[in-house]
Amino acid sequence: MGSFFRSEEVCLVQLFLQSSSAYNCVSELGELGIVEFRDLNPNVSAFQRKFVGEVRRCEEMEKTFAFLEQEMVRSLSPTMRSPLQPPVPTPPAPQPRELLTIEEESERLARELKEVSRNRDSLRAQLTQLCQYRGVLTQTHSITVSQAAPQSFETASFLETRQDVRLSFVAGVVHPWKVPAFERLLWRACRGYIIVDFRDMEEKLEHPDSGEMIQWKVFLISYWGDQIGQKVKKICDCFHTQTFPYPDNVGEREEILSGLGGRIEDIKSVMSETEQYLQQLLVRALAVLPQWKVRMQKCKAIYMVLNQCSPSVTEKCLIAEAWCPVSQLPALQSALREGGRKSGSAVDSFYNRLPTTVSPPTLFPINSFTTGFQNIVDAYGVATYREVNPAVYTIITFPFLFAVMFGDVGHGLLMSLAALWMVLEEKDPKLKNNTNEIWRMMFGGRYLILLMGLFSVYTGAIYNECFSRGMSPFPSAWHVQPNAQHYNWTRKNLSRLPPLSVDRIPRLQFLGRCHIFSLKYREKQDHVKY
């Protein structure tokens, strides 16, 4: 109880960890959270430490887990999509051989997801192109039926001199935002020797890069001559349009159009099978990824601590230094013994207390109630070692000073009810694990908000204020009748006097006596002075 008012007594301990049991000992200490390790290799770079390979392996696993989580956000069905919840109960740190198993399974799952996602994206791109091709043939069919070589030029003399005149087509789709610039450049570059038709596609299709649904513009360009055709194709490439083969014969176009329908149906069936298999992989990843992330983070933290240790002369054990509360020294020894038992080591790890002239770190034990008040105090500055904890007094002073400013019965009652709901539902995982920053700040200070609301109700009752409106539950008991009886007032006197709100006559008599006393005191002081 004394540590609640004053920081706990902390000592410096030296840990001798056997090489075979160092991993498990640090894991047990990490689960307890009673020590703070010191870095005994401050001049050694991160790439020269003993367990840098294991740390790098954990970082690679982090990248794999990030890819799995990204795929779940991108491809998982909306009915099953939800933020990753921390596993309950929290799994322990894995053994090195278990970490290898997790690494292999995660990499295999990531490879399968990459392959299936790549195949699905390829099928989507093919389906989009086929649908665009079908839309081009459907929308431009009515145009090309009416278009042919100019009849006014089809004379015998013209055909004899120009046998190479033939109407050619370039058809495709373009983004609707690019249509004005595309049409303008075609007209200026080809000097009007082309015919361009734009039409809206009936259905919206997915954009291959952004994934948004767009109603593409179908274009059909009719031209004569190879030089103009080369210009048209270059302009189409500059605007990144999707062009398709466009036969001159109507029968060939109808044959292609009928074949596209069968290919589109085949691709849709294959995509359905691929999507089902992808959802199965994502569901499997969703089931195991939260545990994998927690276990990997614990494993990485253990190796980071082991990198702060220095090897002994014989390199049979690791030497570490840590700050530990004096009251937790028995738990420290139990954790070292339990770590040796799990690893099967014949020699137990142990610790020694070291004398030090360095000021130990400040440790205030907190719980769910005192966390909010301690955070407020620590925001202004952390108390020095063994100093009185200001957060104890802040539990009363901060809510009361807030209530002096915010005093309102109605608003304080609403605040109290909201905080009371958070207190009663504090074990709900949805509330506890919410990632919203504003919500986490409010949920962490739920007890603080509850006290502020209760104090606001109290001061609001004193202020007689509810929802910024004045209230008078207990009216004043003052009445003019006692004064009338004391001074023998009559109705004639009351009709001549102005309305009274206080007992003015005794008040005037008191003020007059004070004035006379002050004059006499000044005369006496002047007489003494001269």
PDB file of all heavy atoms in Angstrom, residues 44-62:
ATOM      1  N   VAL A  44      28.333  -1.692 -29.273  1.00  0.00           N
ATOM      2  CA  VAL A  44      28.252  -2.715 -30.311  1.00  0.00           C
ATOM      3  C   VAL A  44      27.060  -2.387 -31.209  1.00  0.00           C
ATOM      4  O   VAL A  44      25.951  -2.150 -30.711  1.00  0.00           O
ATOM      5  CB  VAL A  44      28.108  -4.122 -29.702  1.00  0.00           C
ATOM      6  CG1 VAL A  44      28.027  -5.179 -30.805  1.00  0.00           C
ATOM      7  CG2 VAL A  44      29.269  -4.414 -28.769  1.00  0.00           C
ATOM      8  N   SER A  45      27.273  -2.368 -32.516  1.00  0.00           N
ATOM      9  CA  SER A  45      26.189  -2.051 -33.449  1.00  0.00           C
ATOM     10  C   SER A  45      25.179  -3.195 -33.482  1.00  0.00           C
ATOM     11  O   SER A  45      25.464  -4.323 -33.056  1.00  0.00           O
ATOM     12  CB  SER A  45      26.734  -1.785 -34.853  1.00  0.00           C
ATOM     13  OG  SER A  45      27.339  -2.961 -35.374  1.00  0.00           O
ATOM     14  N   ALA A  46      24.009  -2.896 -34.010  1.00  0.00           N
ATOM     15  CA  ALA A  46      22.940  -3.897 -34.043  1.00  0.00           C
ATOM     16  C   ALA A  46      23.277  -5.068 -34.954  1.00  0.00           C
ATOM     17  O   ALA A  46      22.745  -6.172 -34.780  1.00  0.00           O
ATOM     18  CB  ALA A  46      21.634  -3.244 -34.490  1.00  0.00           C
ATOM     19  N   PHE A  47      24.162  -4.858 -35.938  1.00  0.00           N
ATOM     20  CA  PHE A  47      24.501  -5.919 -36.891  1.00  0.00           C
ATOM     21  C   PHE A  47      25.624  -6.823 -36.391  1.00  0.00           C
ATOM     22  O   PHE A  47      25.944  -7.805 -37.028  1.00  0.00           O
ATOM     23  CB  PHE A  47      24.912  -5.302 -38.233  1.00  0.00           C
ATOM     24  CG  PHE A  47      23.840  -4.459 -38.847  1.00  0.00           C
ATOM     25  CD1 PHE A  47      23.876  -3.084 -38.737  1.00  0.00           C
ATOM     26  CD2 PHE A  47      22.781  -5.042 -39.521  1.00  0.00           C
ATOM     27  CE1 PHE A  47      22.881  -2.295 -39.297  1.00  0.00           C
ATOM     28  CE2 PHE A  47      21.788  -4.266 -40.087  1.00  0.00           C
ATOM     29  CZ  PHE A  47      21.836  -2.894 -39.971  1.00  0.00           C
ATOM     30  N   GLN A  48      26.230  -6.471 -35.249  1.00  0.00           N
ATOM     31  CA  GLN A  48      27.328  -7.258 -34.717  1.00  0.00           C
ATOM     32  C   GLN A  48      26.958  -8.029 -33.458  1.00  0.00           C
ATOM     33  O   GLN A  48      27.834  -8.626 -32.836  1.00  0.00           O
ATOM     34  CB  GLN A  48      28.532  -6.343 -34.422  1.00  0.00           C
ATOM     35  CG  GLN A  48      29.104  -5.677 -35.665  1.00  0.00           C
ATOM     36  CD  GLN A  48      30.218  -4.701 -35.317  1.00  0.00           C
ATOM     37  OE1 GLN A  48      30.408  -4.338 -34.157  1.00  0.00           O
ATOM     38  NE2 GLN A  48      30.964  -4.275 -36.331  1.00  0.00           N
ATOM     39  N   ARG A  49      25.711  -8.015 -33.106  1.00  0.00           N
ATOM     40  CA  ARG A  49      25.298  -8.695 -31.880  1.00  0.00           C
ATOM     41  C   ARG A  49      25.047 -10.176 -32.151  1.00  0.00           C
ATOM     42  O   ARG A  49      24.953 -10.621 -33.300  1.00  0.00           O
ATOM     43  CB  ARG A  49      24.067  -8.026 -31.296  1.00  0.00           C
ATOM     44  CG  ARG A  49      24.290  -6.535 -31.049  1.00  0.00           C
ATOM     45  CD  ARG A  49      23.444  -5.978 -29.972  1.00  0.00           C
ATOM     46  NE  ARG A  49      23.770  -4.573 -29.712  1.00  0.00           N
ATOM     47  CZ  ARG A  49      23.351  -3.890 -28.662  1.00  0.00           C
ATOM     48  NH1 ARG A  49      22.568  -4.475 -27.765  1.00  0.00           N
ATOM     49  NH2 ARG A  49      23.696  -2.634 -28.491  1.00  0.00           N
ATOM     50  N   LYS A  50      24.924 -10.927 -31.075  1.00  0.00           N
ATOM     51  CA  LYS A  50      24.944 -12.386 -31.183  1.00  0.00           C
ATOM     52  C   LYS A  50      23.706 -12.942 -31.853  1.00  0.00           C
ATOM     53  O   LYS A  50      23.773 -13.878 -32.661  1.00  0.00           O
ATOM     54  CB  LYS A  50      25.122 -12.981 -29.786  1.00  0.00           C
ATOM     55  CG  LYS A  50      25.284 -14.486 -29.780  1.00  0.00           C
ATOM     56  CD  LYS A  50      25.560 -14.997 -28.374  1.00  0.00           C
ATOM     57  CE  LYS A  50      25.750 -16.511 -28.388  1.00  0.00           C
ATOM     58  NZ  LYS A  50      26.029 -17.044 -27.027  1.00  0.00           N
ATOM     59  N   PHE A  51      22.555 -12.383 -31.550  1.00  0.00           N
ATOM     60  CA  PHE A  51      21.288 -12.946 -32.030  1.00  0.00           C
ATOM     61  C   PHE A  51      20.677 -12.086 -33.134  1.00  0.00           C
ATOM     62  O   PHE A  51      19.450 -11.994 -33.246  1.00  0.00           O
ATOM     63  CB  PHE A  51      20.302 -13.080 -30.869  1.00  0.00           C
ATOM     64  CG  PHE A  51      20.764 -13.993 -29.780  1.00  0.00           C
ATOM     65  CD1 PHE A  51      21.415 -13.482 -28.661  1.00  0.00           C
ATOM     66  CD2 PHE A  51      20.579 -15.363 -29.867  1.00  0.00           C
ATOM     67  CE1 PHE A  51      21.853 -14.320 -27.652  1.00  0.00           C
ATOM     68  CE2 PHE A  51      21.008 -16.206 -28.856  1.00  0.00           C
ATOM     69  CZ  PHE A  51      21.652 -15.690 -27.745  1.00  0.00           C
ATOM     70  N   VAL A  52      21.521 -11.448 -33.928  1.00  0.00           N
ATOM     71  CA  VAL A  52      21.005 -10.597 -34.999  1.00  0.00           C
ATOM     72  C   VAL A  52      20.300 -11.424 -36.068  1.00  0.00           C
ATOM     73  O   VAL A  52      19.323 -10.973 -36.691  1.00  0.00           O
ATOM     74  CB  VAL A  52      22.148  -9.757 -35.605  1.00  0.00           C
ATOM     75  CG1 VAL A  52      23.199 -10.648 -36.248  1.00  0.00           C
ATOM     76  CG2 VAL A  52      21.623  -8.763 -36.614  1.00  0.00           C
ATOM     77  N   GLY A  53      20.751 -12.657 -36.308  1.00  0.00           N
ATOM     78  CA  GLY A  53      20.089 -13.510 -37.297  1.00  0.00           C
ATOM     79  C   GLY A  53      18.673 -13.864 -36.901  1.00  0.00           C
ATOM     80  O   GLY A  53      17.758 -13.847 -37.737  1.00  0.00           O
ATOM     81  N   GLU A  54      18.471 -14.163 -35.606  1.00  0.00           N
ATOM     82  CA  GLU A  54      17.123 -14.501 -35.144  1.00  0.00           C
ATOM     83  C   GLU A  54      16.198 -13.280 -35.213  1.00  0.00           C
ATOM     84  O   GLU A  54      15.022 -13.397 -35.575  1.00  0.00           O
ATOM     85  CB  GLU A  54      17.173 -15.030 -33.709  1.00  0.00           C
ATOM     86  CG  GLU A  54      17.744 -16.430 -33.577  1.00  0.00           C
ATOM     87  CD  GLU A  54      19.261 -16.465 -33.695  1.00  0.00           C
ATOM     88  OE1 GLU A  54      19.855 -15.373 -33.871  1.00  0.00           O
ATOM     89  OE2 GLU A  54      19.842 -17.564 -33.624  1.00  0.00           O
ATOM     90  N   VAL A  55      16.725 -12.089 -34.889  1.00  0.00           N
ATOM     91  CA  VAL A  55      15.914 -10.879 -34.975  1.00  0.00           C
ATOM     92  C   VAL A  55      15.524 -10.595 -36.416  1.00  0.00           C
ATOM     93  O   VAL A  55      14.385 -10.218 -36.724  1.00  0.00           O
ATOM     94  CB  VAL A  55      16.669  -9.685 -34.360  1.00  0.00           C
ATOM     95  CG1 VAL A  55      15.892  -8.392 -34.576  1.00  0.00           C
ATOM     96  CG2 VAL A  55      16.897  -9.910 -32.874  1.00  0.00           C
ATOM     97  N   ARG A  56      16.466 -10.802 -37.329  1.00  0.00           N
ATOM     98  CA  ARG A  56      16.170 -10.567 -38.748  1.00  0.00           C
ATOM     99  C   ARG A  56      15.127 -11.558 -39.251  1.00  0.00           C
ATOM    100  O   ARG A  56      14.276 -11.212 -40.070  1.00  0.00           O
ATOM    101  CB  ARG A  56      17.468 -10.686 -39.553  1.00  0.00           C
ATOM    102  CG  ARG A  56      17.352 -10.231 -40.992  1.00  0.00           C
ATOM    103  CD  ARG A  56      18.706 -10.222 -41.644  1.00  0.00           C
ATOM    104  NE  ARG A  56      19.609  -9.310 -40.968  1.00  0.00           N
ATOM    105  CZ  ARG A  56      20.915  -9.231 -41.218  1.00  0.00           C
ATOM    106  NH1 ARG A  56      21.456 -10.026 -42.135  1.00  0.00           N
ATOM    107  NH2 ARG A  56      21.676  -8.375 -40.575  1.00  0.00           N
ATOM    108  N   ARG A  57      15.179 -12.787 -38.764  1.00  0.00           N
ATOM    109  CA  ARG A  57      14.176 -13.765 -39.163  1.00  0.00           C
ATOM    110  C   ARG A  57      12.791 -13.345 -38.678  1.00  0.00           C
ATOM    111  O   ARG A  57      11.807 -13.477 -39.413  1.00  0.00           O
ATOM    112  CB  ARG A  57      14.533 -15.134 -38.584  1.00  0.00           C
ATOM    113  CG  ARG A  57      13.560 -16.235 -38.955  1.00  0.00           C
ATOM    114  CD  ARG A  57      13.909 -17.526 -38.246  1.00  0.00           C
ATOM    115  NE  ARG A  57      15.255 -17.953 -38.587  1.00  0.00           N
ATOM    116  CZ  ARG A  57      15.868 -18.967 -37.973  1.00  0.00           C
ATOM    117  NH1 ARG A  57      15.270 -19.607 -36.988  1.00  0.00           N
ATOM    118  NH2 ARG A  57      17.083 -19.311 -38.341  1.00  0.00           N
ATOM    119  N   CYS A  58      12.724 -12.819 -37.469  1.00  0.00           N
ATOM    120  CA  CYS A  58      11.428 -12.325 -36.970  1.00  0.00           C
ATOM    121  C   CYS A  58      10.930 -11.152 -37.805  1.00  0.00           C
ATOM    122  O   CYS A  58       9.718 -11.026 -38.044  1.00  0.00           O
ATOM    123  CB  CYS A  58      11.559 -11.932 -35.499  1.00  0.00           C
ATOM    124  SG  CYS A  58      11.882 -13.303 -34.368  1.00  0.00           S
ATOM    125  N   GLU A  59      11.829 -10.283 -38.243  1.00  0.00           N
ATOM    126  CA  GLU A  59      11.408  -9.153 -39.078  1.00  0.00           C
ATOM    127  C   GLU A  59      10.890  -9.630 -40.431  1.00  0.00           C
ATOM    128  O   GLU A  59       9.938  -9.046 -40.978  1.00  0.00           O
ATOM    129  CB  GLU A  59      12.577  -8.193 -39.253  1.00  0.00           C
ATOM    130  CG  GLU A  59      12.962  -7.462 -37.971  1.00  0.00           C
ATOM    131  CD  GLU A  59      14.176  -6.581 -38.145  1.00  0.00           C
ATOM    132  OE1 GLU A  59      14.811  -6.690 -39.224  1.00  0.00           O
ATOM    133  OE2 GLU A  59      14.486  -5.810 -37.230  1.00  0.00           O
ATOM    134  N   GLU A  60      11.502 -10.675 -40.974  1.00  0.00           N
ATOM    135  CA  GLU A  60      10.983 -11.231 -42.227  1.00  0.00           C
ATOM    136  C   GLU A  60       9.600 -11.829 -42.025  1.00  0.00           C
ATOM    137  O   GLU A  60       8.719 -11.716 -42.896  1.00  0.00           O
ATOM    138  CB  GLU A  60      11.944 -12.295 -42.757  1.00  0.00           C
ATOM    139  CG  GLU A  60      13.286 -11.762 -43.228  1.00  0.00           C
ATOM    140  CD  GLU A  60      13.148 -10.824 -44.407  1.00  0.00           C
ATOM    141  OE1 GLU A  60      12.231 -11.049 -45.231  1.00  0.00           O
ATOM    142  OE2 GLU A  60      13.946  -9.881 -44.519  1.00  0.00           O
ATOM    143  N   MET A  61       9.387 -12.447 -40.884  1.00  0.00           N
ATOM    144  CA  MET A  61       8.053 -12.980 -40.586  1.00  0.00           C
ATOM    145  C   MET A  61       7.043 -11.851 -40.435  1.00  0.00           C
ATOM    146  O   MET A  61       5.873 -11.991 -40.813  1.00  0.00           O
ATOM    147  CB  MET A  61       8.101 -13.839 -39.329  1.00  0.00           C
ATOM    148  CG  MET A  61       8.909 -15.125 -39.478  1.00  0.00           C
ATOM    149  SD  MET A  61       9.050 -16.062 -37.942  1.00  0.00           S
ATOM    150  CE  MET A  61       7.334 -16.435 -37.634  1.00  0.00           C
ATOM    151  N   GLU A  62       7.486 -10.735 -39.887  1.00  0.00           N
ATOM    152  CA  GLU A  62       6.584  -9.583 -39.797  1.00  0.00           C
ATOM    153  C   GLU A  62       6.125  -9.129 -41.179  1.00  0.00           C
ATOM    154  O   GLU A  62       4.954  -8.772 -41.368  1.00  0.00           O
ATOM    155  CB  GLU A  62       7.284  -8.426 -39.073  1.00  0.00           C
ATOM    156  CG  GLU A  62       7.354  -8.583 -37.569  1.00  0.00           C
ATOM    157  CD  GLU A  62       7.999  -7.381 -36.918  1.00  0.00           C
ATOM    158  OE1 GLU A  62       8.642  -6.581 -37.635  1.00  0.00           O
ATOM    159  OE2 GLU A  62       7.863  -7.239 -35.695  1.00  0.00           O
TER     160      GLU A  62
END
